[in-house]
Amino acid sequence: MKRIISVLHIVVLLFAVGTCMSCDAVPEDQEPVIFDDVERIELDGYDGTTFTFGVPNEVSTVVLGLFLNERIQTQGQNITNEEDFAGGTRTGLLDYTKGEVNKSALYEYDPVTNDFDSSSPYAPVGTFSYWWAVWGYDSDGNLTHASEQVNDNITFP
Amino acid sequence: MRRLINVYFKRITLLVICIIITGGYAVAASSPTIAVLNFTNNTGSKGMDYLSTALADSISATLSQSEDIQVVERSRLSSVINQVELEQSGMFSKTDISRAERMTNADVLLLGSYSGTPSSITLIIKAVDIKTALVLNGRVVTAHLSELFDSANQAAGIIAAVVSTKDVGRLTVSTSPDECDIYIDGMMAGKSPLIEYKLPAGEHRIRAVKKGYIDDEVTLAIRTNGSATWNPVLPEKQVLNRSEFSVGVSALIPANRDLTPSPVFLAAIGHNFDRWNISGEIGFSRISHDQVFQHLGSEVEQDRWYNYTSLNGHIAYILYTGWKLVTPYAGIFAGYGKLVDYRSNEAYEDGEEKLRSHNLLSLGGRLGANILSLGKFSLFVEGRYYYTPTLVTRDEYQSQGVLGGLIKSEQEYRFNYVTMGGGLKYYF
C-alpha cells in the first residue's frame, strides 16, 4: 500500500512540474482590443491634456474616438453604438499629430458622413466620463490596428 | 513586141517557180525531221510490250501536229526497226545511226525505254542527232499507266521544241532541302539540283515538290542562250505526325470591366496526327481588379487581384496547308481553372488576404496560325474565347467612415474572357 502511495506521489509531483513548466505560455491578462482580426496599438494614456499612443508605421490613417459615458461596443470590425460616438480626430484633420493628440484638437462626430466634422471642434463645457480608443487603417482602407478602450474623465475646455 | 512580152512572161514564171521551190526548201531545211522509234520494254513484263509501239505511235501522232518539225511516217520505219535493233538493245552505234539516216532521211531519232510497274512507270526519252549520234536532249517521265501517254507526249513535245529551235535557254534549280521533284510546265523534269537544263525560250512554270514540305512554284522567263536560276526554300508542312511543345503569352481581356486586361502565360505539349492536333496546356495569370472608393476624405485604390491557374485539353484542326508562311488552324477546348481572389491587407502576415477561391469549368474556341516555320521551330499567333458556366462571386468593399472596417457586398458575374497572343513552338 505504501508503495502505491509513493508512486501516486511521484505522478502528482511530475504533473505539477509539467504544469509549472508550461506556465510561461500563459499570456499576461490584457484588455482586448476593440475590433476583431487586427493588431494591437499600445495606449500610453491620457494625462489631462494629451492622449498618447504608439502607432506602427504601416498604419496610414489613425482615428482617435471618444464615446460619452458608454463603453465602445463592437461586433467584428463594426461599432454598434454610434449614438454614443461624441467626437475625436484622425489623420488629415487640422492639428492632428501622430501619437499625441491634444484635447483641444478634437472634432464632433457627424453621423451623416460617418466622419468627424472638421468645421465643428468638439468643445463641451465641463467634466465628462469618456471611453476612448485608437484604431488605424492601412493604405488600402483596411482596418488593421486597434487599441483597447480606456475610461477617463476629461474636462473641457 | 509580143515576142519580148513572151520572153519576160516566161522569165517571171520561172522566177516565181524558183522562189516557190527555194522557199519550200528553206522551210523544210529549218524544220528538222524526227523519226520516233519503238521504245524498249525494260519492265520485265511481256504484258507491257504493247507500250513499245503504242507510246511511239502516240508521240509520233502528237509531234506531227507541230509546225516546227516534220515527223517521219511510222510505217516507213518498220524496215529500220527490223534491220537496226536499236529499240531492243537501247544502244546505238554510228554505223546503226548512219544506216538509219539513209533509210529514214531523218535529222533526229527519238528513242528510249520504259521500266517499272503500271502504278509507276518511268519512261526515258532521248533525242539523238542522226549525223553525230550525240544525245541532243532527254527527259525522264514517271507516271501512273493511266497518265503515261499524256506525260510522254508532253515530254516529247518539249524535246522536239528544244531540238527544233535555236531559241534555247538553260535553267538551274537548287532547292533547300535537296532532292525535291522539279516539275516544268506540269511535267516531272527530275530531282533537284537540276543543272543547266535545256528549255525552249519563253515562260515556263517551275514547281518544286517534296513530301513533308510545302510546294513552291514560280514562272520564269527563259531567254535565248540565257540562263535562269531558281533557289526556293521549302518550308516544312505542319501536318506531320510529330509532337510539339509550346510556350506563349497572351493578353487576357475579361468581359467584366471591373477586371483589368492582364497577361496570361501558357505552356502546352501536344501531338499532331496529320491535320489534327491534340494538346494539354497549363496557364497562369494574375488578373488585377483594383477597387477605388472614398475613405475618410481621400480616394483609396485597393490592390486586388486574382491568381488564375488553368488546365485545358485542346483539339485543333489545321485548316489549310498550302501557304508557305502561315498555317491556320481552329480548335475547341475544355478545362479546369482555379480562381483565387486576393487583396492587399497589412493586417495579414505577408500583406495579402485570401478572400475567395473558385473552381471553374471553362469551355471555348480558338483560331490561330503557325507562322514563319523554320526547321523545328515556328512562331504562332492565336485568339481564344473562354466561356465559364459557373458564376463567380466577387466581394466589393465600401467605407463606413470611422465606424470600423470596410463593409463588404457581393457581386456575381461570369468569368468570360478573350485572349490574344502568341508564342514559340518546338517540334520533336
Side-chain angles (χ1 to χ4, degrees):
Chain A
M1 187 62 182
K2 270 189 176 178
R3 189 179 179 86
I4 293 171
I5 291 170
S6 298
V7 170
L8 282 174
H9 279 165
I10 292 168
V11 169
V12 170
L13 189 65
L14 287 172
F15 180 75
V17 170
T19 306
C20 280
M21 286 177 71
S22 64
C23 279
D24 287 348
V26 177
E28 198 178 311
D29 280 350
Q30 257 185 330
E31 275 285 317
V33 296
I34 60 171
F35 295 118
D36 293 345
D37 303 325
V38 293
E39 292 183 41
R40 177 176 287 274
I41 291 176
E42 296 294 345
L43 298 183
D44 293 332
Y46 171 67
D47 63 2
T49 307
T50 307
F51 302 91
T52 313
F53 44 90
V55 183
N57 287 332
E58 62 265 29
V59 177
S60 61
T61 304
V62 179
V63 177
L64 166 67
L66 278 70
F67 286 68
L68 184 61
N69 296 324
E70 295 291 335
R71 290 181 69 90
I72 304 170
Q73 294 166 25
T74 61
Q75 190 171 21
Q77 290 196 339
N78 303 309
I79 291 170
T80 56
N81 60 331
E82 184 187 0
E83 65 278 8
D84 299 318
F85 206 151
T89 189
R90 62 167 173 82
T91 306
L93 295 182
L94 192 63
D95 293 335
Y96 169 82
T97 50
K98 190 176 180 181
E100 277 188 3
V101 174
N102 193 288
K103 66 179 180 183
S104 64
L106 300 177
Y107 298 90
E108 285 185 2
Y109 173 72
D110 181 356
V112 175
T113 61
N114 295 342
D115 198 357
F116 302 113
D117 184 352
S118 59
S119 62
S120 302
Y122 184 67
V125 178
T127 301
F128 304 95
S129 172
Y130 292 95
W131 289 88
W132 65 277
V134 176
W135 57 96
Y137 301 86
D138 66 11
S139 57
D140 292 314
N142 299 306
L143 180 61
T144 56
H145 291 74
S147 70
E148 61 189 298
Q149 58 180 313
V150 293
N151 179 239
D152 282 299
N153 289 321
I154 301 172
T155 302
F156 294 96
Chain B
M1 185 67 183
R2 185 178 289 176
R3 195 175 170 184
L4 192 64
I5 290 171
N6 281 338
V7 169
Y8 273 113
F9 180 77
K10 283 178 183 174
R11 284 181 181 176
I12 287 169
T13 306
L14 190 64
L15 182 65
V16 168
I17 291 170
C18 286
I19 288 171
I20 291 171
I21 291 170
T22 53
Y25 178 77
V27 169
S30 64
S31 303
T33 304
I34 292 179
V36 183
L37 301 188
N38 288 353
F39 287 82
T40 305
N41 179 7
N42 288 335
T43 63
S45 168
K46 291 219 165 192
M48 294 175 77
D49 276 349
Y50 74 97
L51 287 176
S52 176
T53 50
L55 279 169
D57 287 342
S58 174
I59 289 171
S60 181
T62 303
L63 295 184
S64 65
Q65 294 171 15
S66 170
E67 294 177 356
D68 298 330
I69 54 172
Q70 296 185 23
V71 181
V72 178
E73 172 54 42
R74 289 266 301 154
S75 59
R76 279 177 54 199
L77 292 175
S78 57
S79 54
V80 179
I81 293 164
N82 290 335
Q83 292 178 34
V84 184
E85 296 180 340
L86 297 172
E87 75 280 9
Q88 295 302 321
S89 62
M91 304 289 288
F92 36 86
S93 65
K94 273 202 168 182
T95 314
D96 294 333
I97 296 294
S98 59
R99 196 183 307 163
E101 180 190 11
R102 285 197 308 274
M103 301 184 76
T104 64
N105 285 329
D107 301 311
V108 175
L109 289 181
L110 208 62
L111 49 84
S113 62
Y114 56 96
S115 59
T117 61
S119 61
S120 177
I121 298 175
T122 299
L123 174 67
I124 299 169
I125 310 174
K126 294 171 187 171
V128 179
D129 188 324
I130 213 158
K131 288 189 173 67
T132 62
L134 291 174
V135 177
L136 299 172
N137 202 266
R139 292 289 187 273
V140 178
V141 173
T142 300
H144 189 275
L145 180 58
S146 61
E147 297 167 354
L148 183 64
F149 284 83
D150 286 343
S151 299
N153 291 336
Q154 197 177 0
I158 291 176
I159 291 174
V162 170
V163 168
S164 66
T165 178
K166 289 180 180 176
D167 297 334
V168 174
R170 286 176 166 77
L171 171 69
T172 296
V173 179
S174 172
T175 61
S176 176
D178 280 341
E179 300 205 331
C180 294
D181 293 335
I182 305 299
Y183 291 85
I184 299 175
D185 298 324
M187 194 192 65
M188 171 76 167
K191 286 191 181 296
S192 61
L194 206 64
I195 297 167
E196 297 284 320
Y197 192 84
K198 281 184 190 173
L199 283 173
E203 285 201 341
H204 295 277
R205 191 164 46 87
I206 324 293
R207 187 176 180 84
V209 176
K210 189 177 177 76
K211 190 178 180 186
Y213 293 81
I214 296 174
D215 301 352
D216 200 353
E217 189 177 283
V218 70
T219 299
L220 289 178
I222 308 289
R223 292 180 182 176
T224 303
N225 297 324
S227 291
T229 56
W230 184 45
N231 305 310
V233 176
L234 274 63
E236 278 190 88
K237 279 184 180 173
Q238 302 298 304
V239 295
L240 299 176
N241 289 315
R242 59 184 178 179
S243 299
E244 64 181 38
F245 175 74
S246 65
V247 290
V249 61
S250 295
L252 186 157
I253 305 160
N256 185 337
R257 290 187 176 182
D258 291 331
L259 279 58
T260 308
S262 308
V264 55
F265 301 95
L266 301 163
I269 189 160
H271 191 82
N272 292 303
F273 300 91
D274 288 332
R275 296 175 80 158
W276 289 96
N277 176 278
I278 294 177
S279 61
E281 179 188 76
I282 186 166
F284 176 78
S285 181
R286 179 179 159 128
I287 305 161
S288 176
H289 60 116
D290 294 349
Q291 198 192 332
V292 179
F293 53 86
Q294 289 292 323
H295 177 61
L296 298 178
S298 59
E299 189 175 80
V300 170
E301 183 172 346
Q302 190 174 63
D303 285 341
R304 296 190 58 180
W305 67 94
Y306 288 120
N307 280 351
Y308 183 55
T309 310
S310 63
L311 286 168
N312 286 302
H314 293 254
I315 297 176
Y317 182 74
I318 292 175
L319 299 172
Y320 186 66
T321 61
W323 293 328
K324 275 193 287 186
L325 299 178
V326 179
T327 306
Y329 58 81
I332 54 172
F333 56 86
Y336 161 80
K338 190 173 184 69
L339 188 71
V340 185
D341 193 359
Y342 291 91
R343 66 169 179 157
S344 60
N345 189 339
E346 294 299 333
Y348 287 76
E349 199 168 292
D350 51 1
E352 58 186 45
E353 178 186 2
K354 181 178 173 181
L355 299 173
R356 288 176 184 272
S357 177
H358 294 89
N359 295 312
L360 303 174
L361 168 70
S362 59
L363 307 166
R366 63 177 181 154
L367 187 64
N370 296 325
I371 55 173
L372 302 174
S373 178
L374 195 64
K376 292 193 165 189
F377 292 92
S378 79
L379 300 176
F380 69 94
V381 292
E382 194 173 294
R384 298 182 184 178
Y385 176 73
Y386 287 77
Y387 171 75
T388 307
T390 317
L391 287 171
V392 171
T393 303
R394 178 172 179 260
D395 295 322
E396 285 198 344
Y397 293 89
Q398 286 180 310
S399 170
Q400 57 170 336
V402 294
L403 287 181
L406 300 173
I407 301 171
K408 193 164 66 174
S409 61
E410 292 182 351
Q411 175 208 34
E412 284 192 328
Y413 73 98
R414 224 176 274 286
F415 184 59
N416 298 339
Y417 57 95
V418 170
T419 63
M420 295 179 78
L424 180 70
K425 282 184 179 176
Y426 170 72
Y427 300 102
F428 59 97

